[in-house]
Amino acid sequence: MAAATTPGKIILFGEHAVVYGQPALAAPVSQVQARVDVTDASRSGVWIDAPDVNLSSELSRLAPDHPLAAAIKGVFSALNISRYPNLHIQIESTIPVASGLGSGAAVSVALIRALSLAVHRPLPDEQVSALAYDVEKIHHGTPSGIDNTVITYAKPVYFVKDLPAPQGRGGEGKTIETFRVAKPFTIVIGDTGLPAPTKEAVADVRKLRQANPERYERLFAAIGSIARAARQAIETGHPERLGPLMDENHALLQEMTVSCPELDRLTEAARSSGALGAKLSGGGRGGNMIALSEKENALAVANALSNAGAKRTIITTVH
Ligand code: PMV
């Protein structure tokens, strides 16, 4: 009846600082995917099967703040559908959960798209992304919105979360720009195998910033400059310049306390095996790291990461 497939994602530059209004760059990772199939159900109700997370349930039996329930209800509400059709929703994903590869946002985006297609009211990308953002908020507290954005558009994005206007007058918006990758480049992703506690890491950074605003604003601004320089390097065909920028960005994230020994070990192993630079990617304290590599050396970098303890590696091209 209707299906949608979405990629995973990596944050190339700017995680954490993006929550405070600095730019970040993210890219889709098509080697891992979420897929949602929506078909007519022979019995009444909206039936959801998500074998990867051992879930098989009718919609009304899920807690209202369950991300899948929130996504489904969000679509029906956006489309003013109050009598739900009988449907079967099958969710499959090869994106590892809680690893910073965007599994939650990828499932939400695929689900929102497939469901709106199934009822013959396909939603535009902007609305798909906005609905997925609402789901992200339930579990991530104060997400910047970068995950749902890069996954919805499935292209590298430059993202700035505009901060709320002063005096609480609303006006929170976002700058989302897709940009030209003048010369494709190879990224090796290494998974520590440790769950990335993004929500806690974001909350800790918030507390640290409250305790030391000047220091943290300085760190965020430095990361913002790196993200802008990285965009320029990518657009002007100089991806090799991303290596040192990754190393610098990682050092700033270490200073912000969001790295961990496992991420540091993997970034070191990548550099020692010839990667041009490496950094953690996402919330940190677990999850994934990324390394920039010459195409010919990517396998050697991936092997070095496995030898240093990576539970899985992915070689991807940003183009
Ligand atoms: O752990 P991930 O990949 O979902 O990334 C979190 C990125 C942060 O900047 C730390 C938070 C956010 O909402 O942007």
Side-chain angles (χ1 to χ4, degrees), residues 1-5 34-40 47-49 87-92 110-111 114-115 118:
M1 192 171 159
T5 304
R35 180 184 165 99
V36 174
D37 284 275
V38 182
T39 49
D40 284 322
W47 295 86
I48 305 145
D49 273 312
L87 294 172
H88 178 256
I89 299 173
Q90 181 77 24
I91 301 172
E92 317 266 353
L111 174 54
L115 195 54

Side-chain angles (χ1 to χ4, degrees), residues 140-282:
H140 290 277
T142 54
S144 61
I146 193 168
D147 280 22
N148 49 284
T149 303
V150 63
I151 288 166
T152 298
Y153 295 93
K155 284 190 187 134
V157 297
Y158 176 88
F159 179 93
V160 185
K161 173 192 190 225
D162 295 329
L163 296 172
Q167 282 105 39
R169 279 202 265 125
E172 188 169 349
K174 294 173 189 7
T175 304
I176 302 156
E177 290 167 19
T178 52
F179 58 95
R180 202 171 82 91
V181 179
K183 193 171 161 198
F185 53 94
T186 304
I187 295 283
V188 185
I189 306 171
D191 190 346
T192 59
L194 301 172
T198 298
K199 195 174 174 182
E200 285 88 347
V202 170
D204 283 355
V205 170
R206 185 166 302 261
K207 277 187 220 133
L208 290 163
R209 172 181 176 261
Q210 264 158 16
N212 204 334
E214 275 139 51
R215 174 153 180 245
Y216 273 74
E217 285 307 325
R218 219 171 30 246
L219 289 169
F220 297 151
I223 290 176
S225 304
I226 290 173
R228 279 185 282 269
R231 176 180 174 167
Q232 206 192 14
I234 295 170
E235 280 184 313
T236 56
H238 294 287
E240 71 287 351
R241 292 185 191 155
L242 300 178
L245 292 171
M246 281 187 180
D247 292 342
E248 267 178 63
N249 196 159
H250 186 71
L252 293 163
L253 289 162
Q254 283 175 317
E255 221 179 309
M256 279 166 61
T257 78
V258 295
S259 192
C260 64
E262 292 80 1
L263 284 166
D264 290 343
R265 190 178 331 125
L266 295 186
T267 48
E268 273 310 312
R271 291 180 197 116
S272 308
S273 64
L276 306 174
K279 62 181 278 294
L280 71 84
S281 176

